[in-house]
Amino acid sequence: MQEDWQRDLEHWLEPYLQKLGNKTRRRMCPAYIAGLIGPGDRKSIQPMAARADALSYDRLHHFIGAGIWDSAPLEATLWRQADELVGGDKGWLIIDDTALPKKGKASVGVAPQYATVLGKNANCQTLVSVTLASGEVPVMLGLRLYLPESWTSDTARMERAGVPEDFQSYRTKPDIAIEEIDRVIAAGVRFGCVLADAGYGLPAPFRQALSARGLRWAVGIPRHQKVHPADVQLIFPVAGRGRPRVRHLPDVKSRAAHAMLEDAKWRQVNWRRGTKGRLTARFAAMRVRVADGAPQRIGAAGAQHMLGEEVWLVGEHRSNGERKYYLSNLPADTAIKDVAGAIKARWICEQAHQQLKEELGLDHFEGRSWTGLHRHLLMTMMAYAFLQTRRLAQAGRKKKSLRTSASAEHARHPTGHH
């Protein structure tokens, strides 16, 4: 069995290896990925080299940390394969982040910051992740390190860690996400809708950047996000005294998302069948105008945000009592079941993060440099894509054998009497 997957891996990696040129690199790449997939608890370079007889630590270390090679062609190959596997109009592009807890201060991007995995602030690296998924099958396209301001304000520190000049200026996680989405689109990856949690859904510029690119999106928001009813009108208020008003104003005040949905009709929605039966929760949805336009003073109410685009406002009541809120620019005639299905499809990327950590050593890298870390991340994503390809092929074979046995059964009993 073991030789079986390793033989498959060599064959599957062929298009990547062509891009690596040099003979040693073409040997190191499969060896590194086989080390990530193979047995053993630690997937850092030393234990991986120790487990493989024909592998020297120095060569493996040089390949990841110091070798002169461009990862862009490998990335392009990964994206093409991911697109063939799960791309298309029904595909999701899921934006999220994941933390790699780390000790010390020398590893690139390490700082005390919020780590979702731990549910608290901790010393860690934070990666912005981009996942392409279809149904139950995620493939990781991108993992890019977020540099906190404690790093971007210290040029000497960035130079020591080998941060390329293009990445040295501070960017928020949503900024990084938009840059990554642009690269994915430029590469021709196909997807129908961008999904993200409230960490990305809260800042208006992120949602506006997606809409400006003509993309469909469904994102989490905090409960206090302000919205107007969809039928809000802009009126020209009459000034009681003083200078006449020069700007139109909304005829109703904006309200917090949770308040807007208080009187809405909540109903049980099942969005798909999971391994334990139908997945259901209570949802309410209504069309609103987001209050995320330019701020403007409105009399005694002070500065208010003007009207943004018309979107879906969605509330979810979970069985554990939790309430969550979302915005989506899916078309006005989309069925609530489909809006809920889009919102809930985001969770598949967390499964991908977990598998990358538990099975493929995503968080085991011990090098300190930008290049070394990003090459390790690329290798883990390639390993994951290979495993997903195998899983899909096996599922396809199972389906085919079920169909074949069913048709054989039918051939034996064409009348249907057994």
Side-chain angles (χ1 to χ4, degrees):
M1 179 65 198
Q2 179 157 357
E3 293 70 31
D4 191 30
W5 73 256
Q6 287 187 305
R7 199 174 52 244
D8 280 2
L9 178 64
E10 293 276 348
H11 175 69
W12 185 84
L13 281 172
E14 199 43 53
Y16 293 92
L17 303 183
Q18 286 169 9
K19 306 282 194 300
L20 278 170
N22 170 301
K23 208 163 66 181
T24 309
R25 288 199 289 270
R26 291 178 60 147
R27 234 182 33 250
M28 290 306 112
C29 176
Y32 196 93
I33 290 177
L36 295 175
I37 293 172
D41 286 343
R42 276 308 282 175
K43 303 288 174 84
S44 54
I45 295 173
Q46 209 155 7
M48 288 200 306
R51 284 192 291 268
D53 307 334
L55 215 52
S56 91
Y57 166 79
D58 290 342
R59 280 197 166 163
L60 210 52
H61 186 271
H62 180 81
F63 168 68
I64 287 292
I68 311 270
W69 55 273
D70 183 7
S71 58
L74 274 69
E75 213 168 41
T77 307
L78 171 68
W79 292 357
R80 196 182 66 248
Q81 288 184 335
D83 182 70
E84 284 168 14
L85 215 54
V86 292
D89 293 346
K90 293 204 160 53
W92 313 107
L93 194 72
I94 310 169
I95 304 301
D96 204 349
D97 46 68
T98 189
L100 313 180
K102 275 270 181 210
K103 293 187 169 65
K105 292 179 181 170
S107 292
V108 65
V110 165
Q113 49 194 321
Y114 185 75
T116 333
V117 263
L118 305 171
K120 60 178 185 184
N121 269 21
N123 214 39
C124 63
Q125 293 163 314
T126 298
L127 309 173
V128 174
S129 74
V130 182
T131 309
L132 185 68
S134 173
E136 299 281 280
V137 187
V139 180
M140 193 65 69
L141 297 187
L143 288 163
R144 190 169 124 201
L145 183 66
Y146 159 75
L147 289 177
E149 287 179 273
S150 57
W151 274 82
T152 54
S153 59
D154 187 341
T155 315
R157 195 180 188 194
M158 289 193 292
E159 296 291 337
R160 275 198 302 277
V163 178
E165 214 167 299
D166 290 353
F167 298 102
Q168 289 190 6
S169 60
Y170 178 72
R171 289 167 177 82
T172 64
K173 288 174 219 167
D175 291 342
I176 293 172
I178 293 293
E179 286 178 9
E180 292 294 289
I181 290 167
D182 282 343
R183 294 197 316 125
V184 164
I185 292 170
V189 175
R190 296 162 304 144
F191 57 91
C193 188
V194 177
L195 310 177
D197 68 10
Y200 295 85
L202 166 65
F206 178 74
R207 300 190 303 266
Q208 290 160 352
L210 296 178
S211 294
R213 286 158 176 74
L215 299 173
R216 294 283 179 213
W217 49 264
V219 299
I221 51 163
R223 64 197 294 275
H224 53 72
Q225 169 68 51
K226 290 286 208 299
V227 292
H228 289 274
D231 58 3
V232 61
Q233 299 290 317
L234 283 174
I235 53 169
F236 213 61
V238 179
R241 55 174 196 266
R243 296 213 315 265
R245 299 250 188 257
V246 291
R247 290 198 183 99
H248 286 83
L249 299 173
D251 62 349
V252 285
K253 280 181 70 171
S254 61
R255 297 170 71 193
H258 69 93
M260 191 65 107
L261 286 174
E262 277 309 315
D263 309 324
K265 196 174 119 202
W266 292 80
R267 49 183 257 223
Q268 199 76 9
V269 176
N270 67 66
W271 59 91
R272 69 174 171 81
R273 187 175 280 286
T275 45
K276 295 176 183 167
R278 291 195 176 283
L279 301 174
T280 64
R282 288 178 68 230
F283 283 90
M286 67 194 301
R287 299 293 285 177
V288 297
R289 295 281 297 272
V290 198
D292 65 359
Q296 195 172 304
R297 271 191 72 76
I298 301 182
Q304 302 273 310
H305 281 281
M306 292 303 286
L307 302 178
E309 66 182 302
E310 184 184 308
V311 293
W312 283 105
L313 166 64
V314 183
E316 177 195 4
H317 284 186
R318 297 188 183 165
S319 50
N320 63 0
E322 246 187 313
R323 296 186 174 201
K324 296 282 183 185
Y325 299 91
Y326 312 90
L327 292 176
S328 172
N329 73 341
L330 285 166
D333 58 0
T334 309
I336 185 166
K337 180 181 175 173
D338 296 333
V339 180
I343 285 163
K344 300 305 284 185
R346 194 180 65 74
W347 303 108
I348 197 73
C349 80
E350 300 191 354
Q351 184 191 314
H353 291 158
Q354 198 178 344
Q355 288 177 326
L356 281 157
K357 287 176 183 175
E358 289 175 5
E359 296 172 26
L360 300 168
L362 177 72
D363 49 355
H364 293 184
F365 184 67
E366 289 171 359
R368 292 174 170 181
S369 73
W370 171 279
T371 301
L373 173 67
H374 283 88
R375 283 176 177 176
H376 169 74
L377 300 176
L378 176 59
M379 295 293 135
T380 61
M381 291 190 286
M382 286 160 60
Y384 189 62
F386 167 68
L387 292 179
Q388 294 297 61
T389 309
R390 271 177 72 87
R391 281 170 194 154
L392 280 177
Q394 279 163 356
R397 280 198 293 273
K398 260 190 206 148
K399 263 190 194 153
K400 198 172 169 190
S401 65
L402 282 172
R403 276 202 304 272
T404 316
S405 58
S407 54
E409 186 67 22
H410 182 71
R412 283 203 301 277
H413 307 281
T415 56
H417 298 303
H418 291 255

